Amino acid sequence: MEKIILDFSKCKNALDMYDVMHKTFAFPYKWGNNLSALFDATSYYWEDETCLVIRGYHMVPKEWQPYIDDILKIFQRVHDETPNVTFIVES
């Protein structure tokens, strides 16, 4: 199983979060910095068993917590539609 670590501990806003995801996922194409693009990119990207490990979730500034929650909802939706992709939120 492939393990991908997304470390949001230094993110101060949504652009920082997208920067972390873009660098970590290393998608072979440019993708938009929005939730729809995140879903599109992540729902079709993996064929093998993959686990996304989310770190630094609670370190994101309070005003951006609802947005990171939306990102987690995207990952849950990806898992629901592509069961070989799972995610874990580490505290």
Side-chain angles (χ1 to χ4, degrees):
M1 173 183 291
E2 181 179 5
K3 184 185 233 182
I4 298 174
I5 298 172
L6 293 168
D7 186 354
F8 295 115
S9 61
K10 295 181 181 173
C11 294
K12 302 297 181 208
N13 55 47
L15 289 178
D16 290 346
M17 291 180 236
Y18 283 110
D19 188 50
V20 165
M21 291 185 286
H22 183 73
K23 288 177 182 174
T24 303
F25 291 143
F27 291 134
Y29 53 86
K30 184 169 173 64
W31 58 293
N33 289 340
N34 61 67
L35 296 171
S36 293
L38 176 63
F39 175 76
D40 290 343
T42 56
S43 62
Y44 304 106
Y45 189 69
W46 298 285
E47 293 179 11
D48 298 326
E49 294 287 322
T50 304
C51 179
L52 304 177
V53 179
I54 313 301
R55 293 188 179 155
Y57 169 82
H58 298 293
M59 298 177 77
V60 172
K62 188 176 183 174
E63 64 267 18
W64 288 100
Q65 284 294 317
Y67 200 81
I68 199 166
D69 288 341
D70 289 342
I71 289 172
L72 295 182
K73 288 176 188 172
I74 294 293
F75 293 151
Q76 181 61 54
R77 189 171 154 211
V78 168
H79 169 71
D80 291 345
E81 296 184 18
T82 313
N84 62 307
V85 178
T86 59
F87 71 96
I88 300 168
V89 178
E90 292 184 345
S91 51

